[in-house]
Amino acid sequence: MYLWTLLTFTALAECAHSCPDLCSCSLQEVMCSQSALTHFPVDGLPSNTILLSIQSTNLSSITASHLSAVPLLNNLQLYHNNLKTLPSDLLKNVPHLNKLDLTGNQLVHLPSNVFSHDSLCSLVLKNNRIEKADADWLSGNSSITWLDLSGNRLTVVPAALLQKLPSLEDLDLSDNNLQDLQPDALKNLHHLERLNLAGNNLSSLKPTIFTHNLKLSQLFLQDNQLQELPGTLLQGLQHLELLLLNRNQLQHSPPGLLDDRKSSFRIILSGNPWVCDEKMEYLWKWLAVHPQNVIFLEEVTCAWPQALKHRQVDSLTDSELELHKIQNQ
């Protein structure tokens, strides 16, 4: 027993003192961030590594064989390298891998089953060149709770992909080219808490798109082309804390949209071409009662009519909105 313990400590000591060229090592973490690095740093890589970060290098390929050198790996960060593709069996030799971050590579097409990995909970594919998200990337009932596909070239996100993610809590689809969401795209995401759809080309949302996402607390819809919203869009979202609608093409808010919001609810409405006529009555009254819920309230201003242009909406009078005409009819 003593001999076995001694050999184990000796092995760990050797691991602790070994480190690949162009990398730095401490405890069970290895960091490689030299542009001169062009190949996976297998030589000298401690076998007890838990976190491996390779960033801002010229690494262009990685294989399952490479990762077999670190069987205890929990967190793999491959930021801003030169990866163009991944093998379908990439993760087969790292059974404990929990987090995979591939931000800022050159990925376009990914093979089937590449992320079919039981322990994987966090998958970040931000700022690549992916044009199509494929349901075949995953096995059924994936354990992923955080999926980031932002900054790619997606025009659609298939419902079949999201239906394989029943544990998903955080979904980032911002800065793509989405023009619409499939009606049942979010249906299986009962644990979803944060949804980022900012920076796309969405012009409308279906009234029932969030019906099954009752835990939603943060919803980012800014920088789209939304022209109108269904009055029942937020119905049932009792946990909603933050809603960003700034920089869209909204002219009016439908009656009932913001009803029954909790006191901690916050919203941004600036950067829309609000039309300050009788149809503005609902939002005007809501702003008067809930000014503390609006971030940048002073920037919620009229774009039309010309006589009211740049006026702060909550400062208007009922006569300026011509409400007296409606009431007397």
Side-chain angles (χ1 to χ4, degrees), residues 79-123:
Y79 310 149
H80 304 292
N81 294 294
N82 209 16
L83 297 171
K84 295 181 173 62
T85 187
L86 302 173
S88 61
D89 65 346
L90 176 65
L91 306 181
K92 74 173 185 178
N93 294 320
V94 281
H96 307 288
L97 192 72
N98 182 265
K99 299 178 181 179
L100 176 60
D101 194 327
L102 289 152
T103 296
N105 282 280
Q106 310 296 320
L107 299 172
V108 179
H109 302 292
L110 296 170
S112 298
N113 299 313
V114 63
F115 304 124
S116 296
H117 193 67
D118 290 342
S119 65
L120 192 62
C121 291
S122 173
L123 175 59

mmCIF file of all heavy atoms in Angstrom, residues 79-123:
data_model
loop_
_atom_site.group_PDB
_atom_site.id
_atom_site.type_symbol
_atom_site.label_atom_id
_atom_site.label_comp_id
_atom_site.label_asym_id
_atom_site.label_seq_id
_atom_site.Cartn_x
_atom_site.Cartn_y
_atom_site.Cartn_z
ATOM 1 N N TYR A 79 -10.562 28.980 -27.978
ATOM 2 C CA TYR A 79 -10.951 30.306 -28.459
ATOM 3 C C TYR A 79 -10.034 30.799 -29.589
ATOM 4 O O TYR A 79 -8.819 30.702 -29.501
ATOM 5 C CB TYR A 79 -10.845 31.372 -27.353
ATOM 6 C CG TYR A 79 -11.486 31.099 -26.033
ATOM 7 C CD1 TYR A 79 -10.933 31.621 -24.875
ATOM 8 C CD2 TYR A 79 -12.651 30.351 -25.917
ATOM 9 C CE1 TYR A 79 -11.510 31.416 -23.635
ATOM 10 C CE2 TYR A 79 -13.235 30.128 -24.681
ATOM 11 C CZ TYR A 79 -12.667 30.663 -23.546
ATOM 12 O OH TYR A 79 -13.238 30.455 -22.325
ATOM 13 N N HIS A 80 -10.638 31.395 -30.604
ATOM 14 C CA HIS A 80 -9.911 32.195 -31.601
ATOM 15 C C HIS A 80 -8.680 31.466 -32.154
ATOM 16 O O HIS A 80 -7.561 31.979 -32.126
ATOM 17 C CB HIS A 80 -9.500 33.550 -31.000
ATOM 18 C CG HIS A 80 -10.658 34.315 -30.460
ATOM 19 N ND1 HIS A 80 -11.640 34.841 -31.257
ATOM 20 C CD2 HIS A 80 -11.003 34.623 -29.175
ATOM 21 C CE1 HIS A 80 -12.534 35.459 -30.500
ATOM 22 N NE2 HIS A 80 -12.183 35.329 -29.241
ATOM 23 N N ASN A 81 -8.931 30.279 -32.653
ATOM 24 C CA ASN A 81 -7.883 29.536 -33.332
ATOM 25 C C ASN A 81 -8.224 29.459 -34.819
ATOM 26 O O ASN A 81 -8.942 30.322 -35.333
ATOM 27 C CB ASN A 81 -7.742 28.151 -32.692
ATOM 28 C CG ASN A 81 -7.246 28.251 -31.247
ATOM 29 O OD1 ASN A 81 -6.135 28.663 -30.993
ATOM 30 N ND2 ASN A 81 -8.108 27.887 -30.284
ATOM 31 N N ASN A 82 -7.746 28.432 -35.484
ATOM 32 C CA ASN A 82 -7.940 28.334 -36.925
ATOM 33 C C ASN A 82 -8.638 27.042 -37.304
ATOM 34 O O ASN A 82 -8.406 26.498 -38.386
ATOM 35 C CB ASN A 82 -6.565 28.421 -37.614
ATOM 36 C CG ASN A 82 -6.656 29.020 -38.992
ATOM 37 O OD1 ASN A 82 -7.653 29.633 -39.356
ATOM 38 N ND2 ASN A 82 -5.613 28.818 -39.788
ATOM 39 N N LEU A 83 -9.496 26.554 -36.416
ATOM 40 C CA LEU A 83 -10.190 25.292 -36.660
ATOM 41 C C LEU A 83 -11.276 25.480 -37.714
ATOM 42 O O LEU A 83 -12.123 26.364 -37.597
ATOM 43 C CB LEU A 83 -10.814 24.777 -35.368
ATOM 44 C CG LEU A 83 -9.834 24.433 -34.241
ATOM 45 C CD1 LEU A 83 -10.600 24.145 -32.950
ATOM 46 C CD2 LEU A 83 -8.966 23.236 -34.631
ATOM 47 N N LYS A 84 -11.252 24.624 -38.714
ATOM 48 C CA LYS A 84 -12.238 24.702 -39.802
ATOM 49 C C LYS A 84 -13.241 23.557 -39.758
ATOM 50 O O LYS A 84 -14.322 23.651 -40.335
ATOM 51 C CB LYS A 84 -11.529 24.731 -41.154
ATOM 52 C CG LYS A 84 -10.679 25.978 -41.380
ATOM 53 C CD LYS A 84 -10.025 25.947 -42.758
ATOM 54 C CE LYS A 84 -9.310 27.266 -43.042
ATOM 55 N NZ LYS A 84 -8.221 27.540 -42.087
ATOM 56 N N THR A 85 -12.873 22.479 -39.092
ATOM 57 C CA THR A 85 -13.773 21.335 -38.975
ATOM 58 C C THR A 85 -13.418 20.546 -37.726
ATOM 59 O O THR A 85 -12.364 20.773 -37.110
ATOM 60 C CB THR A 85 -13.686 20.435 -40.217
ATOM 61 O OG1 THR A 85 -14.698 19.419 -40.143
ATOM 62 C CG2 THR A 85 -12.317 19.784 -40.327
ATOM 63 N N LEU A 86 -14.307 19.631 -37.346
ATOM 64 C CA LEU A 86 -14.096 18.778 -36.184
ATOM 65 C C LEU A 86 -14.437 17.345 -36.565
ATOM 66 O O LEU A 86 -15.384 17.116 -37.330
ATOM 67 C CB LEU A 86 -14.993 19.212 -35.014
ATOM 68 C CG LEU A 86 -14.858 20.642 -34.494
ATOM 69 C CD1 LEU A 86 -15.954 20.912 -33.461
ATOM 70 C CD2 LEU A 86 -13.479 20.880 -33.888
ATOM 71 N N PRO A 87 -13.729 16.371 -36.030
ATOM 72 C CA PRO A 87 -14.091 14.969 -36.284
ATOM 73 C C PRO A 87 -15.317 14.582 -35.465
ATOM 74 O O PRO A 87 -15.533 15.110 -34.362
ATOM 75 C CB PRO A 87 -12.847 14.193 -35.840
ATOM 76 C CG PRO A 87 -12.210 15.060 -34.816
ATOM 77 C CD PRO A 87 -12.494 16.481 -35.226
ATOM 78 N N SER A 88 -16.107 13.665 -35.969
ATOM 79 C CA SER A 88 -17.347 13.287 -35.282
ATOM 80 C C SER A 88 -17.094 12.603 -33.947
ATOM 81 O O SER A 88 -17.944 12.644 -33.062
ATOM 82 C CB SER A 88 -18.194 12.379 -36.181
ATOM 83 O OG SER A 88 -17.478 11.187 -36.492
ATOM 84 N N ASP A 89 -15.914 11.995 -33.792
ATOM 85 C CA ASP A 89 -15.602 11.280 -32.537
ATOM 86 C C ASP A 89 -14.711 12.092 -31.609
ATOM 87 O O ASP A 89 -14.065 11.546 -30.718
ATOM 88 C CB ASP A 89 -14.943 9.934 -32.851
ATOM 89 C CG ASP A 89 -13.571 10.092 -33.525
ATOM 90 O OD1 ASP A 89 -13.246 11.214 -33.980
ATOM 91 O OD2 ASP A 89 -12.826 9.088 -33.579
ATOM 92 N N LEU A 90 -14.685 13.401 -31.784
ATOM 93 C CA LEU A 90 -13.749 14.264 -31.049
ATOM 94 C C LEU A 90 -13.756 14.009 -29.550
ATOM 95 O O LEU A 90 -12.705 13.982 -28.908
ATOM 96 C CB LEU A 90 -14.083 15.731 -31.326
ATOM 97 C CG LEU A 90 -13.256 16.771 -30.556
ATOM 98 C CD1 LEU A 90 -11.789 16.712 -30.978
ATOM 99 C CD2 LEU A 90 -13.817 18.172 -30.766
ATOM 100 N N LEU A 91 -14.900 13.798 -28.956
ATOM 101 C CA LEU A 91 -15.022 13.789 -27.495
ATOM 102 C C LEU A 91 -15.047 12.384 -26.890
ATOM 103 O O LEU A 91 -15.278 12.243 -25.683
ATOM 104 C CB LEU A 91 -16.293 14.548 -27.077
ATOM 105 C CG LEU A 91 -16.429 15.979 -27.631
ATOM 106 C CD1 LEU A 91 -17.716 16.609 -27.129
ATOM 107 C CD2 LEU A 91 -15.230 16.841 -27.269
ATOM 108 N N LYS A 92 -14.788 11.384 -27.682
ATOM 109 C CA LYS A 92 -14.969 10.011 -27.180
ATOM 110 C C LYS A 92 -14.004 9.634 -26.056
ATOM 111 O O LYS A 92 -14.306 8.747 -25.244
ATOM 112 C CB LYS A 92 -14.848 9.012 -28.337
ATOM 113 C CG LYS A 92 -13.435 8.775 -28.854
ATOM 114 C CD LYS A 92 -13.416 7.661 -29.874
ATOM 115 C CE LYS A 92 -11.990 7.333 -30.322
ATOM 116 N NZ LYS A 92 -11.960 6.205 -31.273
ATOM 117 N N ASN A 93 -12.842 10.292 -25.972
ATOM 118 C CA ASN A 93 -11.839 9.921 -24.968
ATOM 119 C C ASN A 93 -11.798 10.855 -23.759
ATOM 120 O O ASN A 93 -10.888 10.773 -22.936
ATOM 121 C CB ASN A 93 -10.454 9.870 -25.614
ATOM 122 C CG ASN A 93 -10.338 8.766 -26.644
ATOM 123 O OD1 ASN A 93 -10.852 7.672 -26.447
ATOM 124 N ND2 ASN A 93 -9.668 9.051 -27.761
ATOM 125 N N VAL A 94 -12.794 11.746 -23.661
ATOM 126 C CA VAL A 94 -12.865 12.659 -22.511
ATOM 127 C C VAL A 94 -14.247 12.522 -21.865
ATOM 128 O O VAL A 94 -15.104 13.412 -21.989
ATOM 129 C CB VAL A 94 -12.575 14.119 -22.911
ATOM 130 C CG1 VAL A 94 -11.076 14.346 -23.072
ATOM 131 C CG2 VAL A 94 -13.291 14.488 -24.223
ATOM 132 N N PRO A 95 -14.481 11.431 -21.164
ATOM 133 C CA PRO A 95 -15.823 11.109 -20.649
ATOM 134 C C PRO A 95 -16.351 12.093 -19.611
ATOM 135 O O PRO A 95 -17.551 12.111 -19.335
ATOM 136 C CB PRO A 95 -15.631 9.719 -20.032
ATOM 137 C CG PRO A 95 -14.173 9.642 -19.704
ATOM 138 C CD PRO A 95 -13.489 10.404 -20.801
ATOM 139 N N HIS A 96 -15.463 12.916 -19.027
ATOM 140 C CA HIS A 96 -15.886 13.847 -17.981
ATOM 141 C C HIS A 96 -16.075 15.271 -18.501
ATOM 142 O O HIS A 96 -16.348 16.177 -17.715
ATOM 143 C CB HIS A 96 -14.864 13.856 -16.837
ATOM 144 C CG HIS A 96 -14.562 12.491 -16.295
ATOM 145 N ND1 HIS A 96 -15.462 11.777 -15.539
ATOM 146 C CD2 HIS A 96 -13.455 11.707 -16.426
ATOM 147 C CE1 HIS A 96 -14.935 10.612 -15.208
ATOM 148 N NE2 HIS A 96 -13.729 10.541 -15.735
ATOM 149 N N LEU A 97 -15.923 15.472 -19.801
ATOM 150 C CA LEU A 97 -15.981 16.834 -20.338
ATOM 151 C C LEU A 97 -17.354 17.448 -20.117
ATOM 152 O O LEU A 97 -18.378 16.901 -20.530
ATOM 153 C CB LEU A 97 -15.651 16.846 -21.834
ATOM 154 C CG LEU A 97 -15.418 18.245 -22.400
ATOM 155 C CD1 LEU A 97 -14.088 18.813 -21.898
ATOM 156 C CD2 LEU A 97 -15.439 18.244 -23.926
ATOM 157 N N ASN A 98 -17.354 18.616 -19.483
ATOM 158 C CA ASN A 98 -18.574 19.315 -19.127
ATOM 159 C C ASN A 98 -18.784 20.577 -19.959
ATOM 160 O O ASN A 98 -19.908 20.925 -20.308
ATOM 161 C CB ASN A 98 -18.530 19.661 -17.628
ATOM 162 C CG ASN A 98 -19.769 20.356 -17.143
ATOM 163 O OD1 ASN A 98 -19.824 21.579 -17.076
ATOM 164 N ND2 ASN A 98 -20.785 19.570 -16.797
ATOM 165 N N LYS A 99 -17.677 21.251 -20.289
ATOM 166 C CA LYS A 99 -17.747 22.528 -21.001
ATOM 167 C C LYS A 99 -16.848 22.500 -22.240
ATOM 168 O O LYS A 99 -15.684 22.117 -22.158
ATOM 169 C CB LYS A 99 -17.302 23.671 -20.089
ATOM 170 C CG LYS A 99 -18.171 23.841 -18.845
ATOM 171 C CD LYS A 99 -17.638 24.964 -17.957
ATOM 172 C CE LYS A 99 -18.472 25.125 -16.696
ATOM 173 N NZ LYS A 99 -17.945 26.192 -15.822
ATOM 174 N N LEU A 100 -17.419 22.932 -23.364
ATOM 175 C CA LEU A 100 -16.665 23.022 -24.611
ATOM 176 C C LEU A 100 -16.942 24.378 -25.239
ATOM 177 O O LEU A 100 -18.090 24.726 -25.523
ATOM 178 C CB LEU A 100 -17.079 21.907 -25.576
ATOM 179 C CG LEU A 100 -16.448 21.937 -26.972
ATOM 180 C CD1 LEU A 100 -14.927 21.847 -26.892
ATOM 181 C CD2 LEU A 100 -17.006 20.812 -27.839
ATOM 182 N N ASP A 101 -15.882 25.153 -25.441
ATOM 183 C CA ASP A 101 -16.012 26.501 -25.999
ATOM 184 C C ASP A 101 -15.158 26.613 -27.249
ATOM 185 O O ASP A 101 -13.935 26.495 -27.197
ATOM 186 C CB ASP A 101 -15.593 27.539 -24.961
ATOM 187 C CG ASP A 101 -16.035 28.952 -25.349
ATOM 188 O OD1 ASP A 101 -16.069 29.255 -26.552
ATOM 189 O OD2 ASP A 101 -16.337 29.742 -24.439
ATOM 190 N N LEU A 102 -15.816 26.848 -28.389
ATOM 191 C CA LEU A 102 -15.142 26.933 -29.692
ATOM 192 C C LEU A 102 -15.313 28.322 -30.308
ATOM 193 O O LEU A 102 -15.319 28.488 -31.526
ATOM 194 C CB LEU A 102 -15.713 25.864 -30.630
ATOM 195 C CG LEU A 102 -15.318 24.425 -30.272
ATOM 196 C CD1 LEU A 102 -16.374 23.439 -30.743
ATOM 197 C CD2 LEU A 102 -13.964 24.080 -30.862
ATOM 198 N N THR A 103 -15.393 29.324 -29.478
ATOM 199 C CA THR A 103 -15.585 30.706 -29.925
ATOM 200 C C THR A 103 -14.493 31.151 -30.901
ATOM 201 O O THR A 103 -13.307 30.919 -30.678
ATOM 202 C CB THR A 103 -15.581 31.664 -28.717
ATOM 203 O OG1 THR A 103 -16.677 31.385 -27.873
ATOM 204 C CG2 THR A 103 -15.643 33.118 -29.159
ATOM 205 N N GLY A 104 -14.922 31.810 -31.982
ATOM 206 C CA GLY A 104 -13.990 32.515 -32.845
ATOM 207 C C GLY A 104 -13.089 31.652 -33.682
ATOM 208 O O GLY A 104 -11.916 31.984 -33.877
ATOM 209 N N ASN A 105 -13.625 30.545 -34.224
ATOM 210 C CA ASN A 105 -12.859 29.740 -35.161
ATOM 211 C C ASN A 105 -13.414 29.927 -36.572
ATOM 212 O O ASN A 105 -14.083 30.926 -36.842
ATOM 213 C CB ASN A 105 -12.871 28.274 -34.721
ATOM 214 C CG ASN A 105 -11.899 28.008 -33.577
ATOM 215 O OD1 ASN A 105 -10.705 27.860 -33.778
ATOM 216 N ND2 ASN A 105 -12.427 27.966 -32.342
ATOM 217 N N GLN A 106 -13.160 28.973 -37.448
ATOM 218 C CA GLN A 106 -13.599 29.085 -38.833
ATOM 219 C C GLN A 106 -14.565 27.960 -39.192
ATOM 220 O O GLN A 106 -14.662 27.558 -40.347
ATOM 221 C CB GLN A 106 -12.375 29.026 -39.773
ATOM 222 C CG GLN A 106 -11.245 29.959 -39.426
ATOM 223 C CD GLN A 106 -11.640 31.408 -39.531
ATOM 224 O OE1 GLN A 106 -12.354 31.793 -40.455
ATOM 225 N NE2 GLN A 106 -11.183 32.233 -38.594
ATOM 226 N N LEU A 107 -15.281 27.473 -38.214
ATOM 227 C CA LEU A 107 -16.166 26.334 -38.421
ATOM 228 C C LEU A 107 -17.349 26.698 -39.316
ATOM 229 O O LEU A 107 -17.988 27.731 -39.132
ATOM 230 C CB LEU A 107 -16.680 25.816 -37.079
ATOM 231 C CG LEU A 107 -15.605 25.325 -36.091
ATOM 232 C CD1 LEU A 107 -16.236 25.036 -34.732
ATOM 233 C CD2 LEU A 107 -14.908 24.086 -36.641
ATOM 234 N N VAL A 108 -17.629 25.827 -40.283
ATOM 235 C CA VAL A 108 -18.758 26.019 -41.198
ATOM 236 C C VAL A 108 -19.719 24.835 -41.094
ATOM 237 O O VAL A 108 -20.884 24.988 -40.763
ATOM 238 C CB VAL A 108 -18.277 26.193 -42.655
ATOM 239 C CG1 VAL A 108 -19.470 26.363 -43.589
ATOM 240 C CG2 VAL A 108 -17.339 27.380 -42.777
ATOM 241 N N HIS A 109 -19.211 23.634 -41.398
ATOM 242 C CA HIS A 109 -20.015 22.419 -41.347
ATOM 243 C C HIS A 109 -19.487 21.516 -40.238
ATOM 244 O O HIS A 109 -18.279 21.343 -40.087
ATOM 245 C CB HIS A 109 -19.948 21.684 -42.685
ATOM 246 C CG HIS A 109 -20.408 22.503 -43.849
ATOM 247 N ND1 HIS A 109 -21.728 22.884 -44.018
ATOM 248 C CD2 HIS A 109 -19.730 23.036 -44.900
ATOM 249 C CE1 HIS A 109 -21.835 23.608 -45.115
ATOM 250 N NE2 HIS A 109 -20.638 23.724 -45.669
ATOM 251 N N LEU A 110 -20.395 20.940 -39.485
ATOM 252 C CA LEU A 110 -20.021 20.047 -38.398
ATOM 253 C C LEU A 110 -20.641 18.675 -38.630
ATOM 254 O O LEU A 110 -21.795 18.580 -39.076
ATOM 255 C CB LEU A 110 -20.488 20.612 -37.058
ATOM 256 C CG LEU A 110 -19.827 21.937 -36.653
ATOM 257 C CD1 LEU A 110 -20.530 22.531 -35.444
ATOM 258 C CD2 LEU A 110 -18.355 21.732 -36.360
ATOM 259 N N PRO A 111 -19.925 17.601 -38.316
ATOM 260 C CA PRO A 111 -20.419 16.246 -38.614
ATOM 261 C C PRO A 111 -21.492 15.780 -37.634
ATOM 262 O O PRO A 111 -21.652 16.329 -36.537
ATOM 263 C CB PRO A 111 -19.157 15.389 -38.485
ATOM 264 C CG PRO A 111 -18.308 16.126 -37.493
ATOM 265 C CD PRO A 111 -18.562 17.582 -37.748
ATOM 266 N N SER A 112 -22.208 14.751 -38.021
ATOM 267 C CA SER A 112 -23.220 14.149 -37.158
ATOM 268 C C SER A 112 -22.580 13.610 -35.883
ATOM 269 O O SER A 112 -21.444 13.136 -35.897
ATOM 270 C CB SER A 112 -23.931 13.010 -37.896
ATOM 271 O OG SER A 112 -24.601 13.486 -39.040
ATOM 272 N N ASN A 113 -23.321 13.707 -34.793
ATOM 273 C CA ASN A 113 -22.932 13.143 -33.490
ATOM 274 C C ASN A 113 -21.725 13.813 -32.841
ATOM 275 O O ASN A 113 -21.225 13.335 -31.821
ATOM 276 C CB ASN A 113 -22.674 11.637 -33.603
ATOM 277 C CG ASN A 113 -23.905 10.882 -34.059
ATOM 278 O OD1 ASN A 113 -24.989 11.098 -33.533
ATOM 279 N ND2 ASN A 113 -23.752 10.011 -35.050
ATOM 280 N N VAL A 114 -21.256 14.902 -33.395
ATOM 281 C CA VAL A 114 -20.043 15.525 -32.867
ATOM 282 C C VAL A 114 -20.214 15.978 -31.414
ATOM 283 O O VAL A 114 -19.244 15.986 -30.653
ATOM 284 C CB VAL A 114 -19.594 16.692 -33.772
ATOM 285 C CG1 VAL A 114 -20.636 17.807 -33.809
ATOM 286 C CG2 VAL A 114 -18.243 17.231 -33.341
ATOM 287 N N PHE A 115 -21.436 16.323 -31.021
ATOM 288 C CA PHE A 115 -21.670 16.763 -29.641
ATOM 289 C C PHE A 115 -22.569 15.783 -28.873
ATOM 290 O O PHE A 115 -23.194 16.155 -27.887
ATOM 291 C CB PHE A 115 -22.285 18.164 -29.627
ATOM 292 C CG PHE A 115 -21.447 19.184 -30.357
ATOM 293 C CD1 PHE A 115 -21.989 19.938 -31.388
ATOM 294 C CD2 PHE A 115 -20.114 19.373 -30.026
ATOM 295 C CE1 PHE A 115 -21.221 20.875 -32.061
ATOM 296 C CE2 PHE A 115 -19.331 20.305 -30.707
ATOM 297 C CZ PHE A 115 -19.884 21.059 -31.730
ATOM 298 N N SER A 116 -22.612 14.550 -29.334
ATOM 299 C CA SER A 116 -23.369 13.506 -28.630
ATOM 300 C C SER A 116 -22.512 12.974 -27.494
ATOM 301 O O SER A 116 -21.828 11.956 -27.615
ATOM 302 C CB SER A 116 -23.737 12.381 -29.604
ATOM 303 O OG SER A 116 -24.590 12.840 -30.614
ATOM 304 N N HIS A 117 -22.550 13.670 -26.403
ATOM 305 C CA HIS A 117 -21.644 13.402 -25.287
ATOM 306 C C HIS A 117 -22.421 13.559 -23.990
ATOM 307 O O HIS A 117 -22.919 14.641 -23.688
ATOM 308 C CB HIS A 117 -20.477 14.387 -25.348
ATOM 309 C CG HIS A 117 -19.329 14.050 -24.458
ATOM 310 N ND1 HIS A 117 -18.536 12.939 -24.652
ATOM 311 C CD2 HIS A 117 -18.834 14.674 -23.367
ATOM 312 C CE1 HIS A 117 -17.605 12.907 -23.713
ATOM 313 N NE2 HIS A 117 -17.767 13.940 -22.919
ATOM 314 N N ASP A 118 -22.538 12.489 -23.231
ATOM 315 C CA ASP A 118 -23.442 12.454 -22.084
ATOM 316 C C ASP A 118 -23.166 13.538 -21.044
ATOM 317 O O ASP A 118 -24.088 14.063 -20.440
ATOM 318 C CB ASP A 118 -23.382 11.079 -21.406
ATOM 319 C CG ASP A 118 -24.020 9.990 -22.255
ATOM 320 O OD1 ASP A 118 -24.788 10.346 -23.169
ATOM 321 O OD2 ASP A 118 -23.739 8.808 -22.022
ATOM 322 N N SER A 119 -21.892 13.846 -20.809
ATOM 323 C CA SER A 119 -21.568 14.776 -19.720
ATOM 324 C C SER A 119 -21.547 16.244 -20.146
ATOM 325 O O SER A 119 -21.420 17.134 -19.305
ATOM 326 C CB SER A 119 -20.208 14.410 -19.113
ATOM 327 O OG SER A 119 -19.171 14.595 -20.068
ATOM 328 N N LEU A 120 -21.674 16.527 -21.425
ATOM 329 C CA LEU A 120 -21.554 17.894 -21.928
ATOM 330 C C LEU A 120 -22.760 18.738 -21.496
ATOM 331 O O LEU A 120 -23.901 18.421 -21.806
ATOM 332 C CB LEU A 120 -21.449 17.885 -23.453
ATOM 333 C CG LEU A 120 -21.028 19.198 -24.119
ATOM 334 C CD1 LEU A 120 -19.635 19.609 -23.665
ATOM 335 C CD2 LEU A 120 -21.071 19.057 -25.642
ATOM 336 N N CYS A 121 -22.486 19.836 -20.778
ATOM 337 C CA CYS A 121 -23.546 20.730 -20.293
ATOM 338 C C CYS A 121 -23.482 22.120 -20.922
ATOM 339 O O CYS A 121 -24.498 22.811 -20.993
ATOM 340 C CB CYS A 121 -23.469 20.870 -18.774
ATOM 341 S SG CYS A 121 -23.918 19.373 -17.895
ATOM 342 N N SER A 122 -22.311 22.532 -21.356
ATOM 343 C CA SER A 122 -22.133 23.873 -21.907
ATOM 344 C C SER A 122 -21.430 23.782 -23.260
ATOM 345 O O SER A 122 -20.323 23.255 -23.351
ATOM 346 C CB SER A 122 -21.311 24.740 -20.948
ATOM 347 O OG SER A 122 -21.004 25.986 -21.525
ATOM 348 N N LEU A 123 -22.095 24.306 -24.305
ATOM 349 C CA LEU A 123 -21.535 24.259 -25.656
ATOM 350 C C LEU A 123 -21.600 25.655 -26.264
ATOM 351 O O LEU A 123 -22.679 26.219 -26.459
ATOM 352 C CB LEU A 123 -22.325 23.276 -26.517
ATOM 353 C CG LEU A 123 -21.939 23.192 -27.996
ATOM 354 C CD1 LEU A 123 -20.473 22.798 -28.173
ATOM 355 C CD2 LEU A 123 -22.851 22.210 -28.732
#
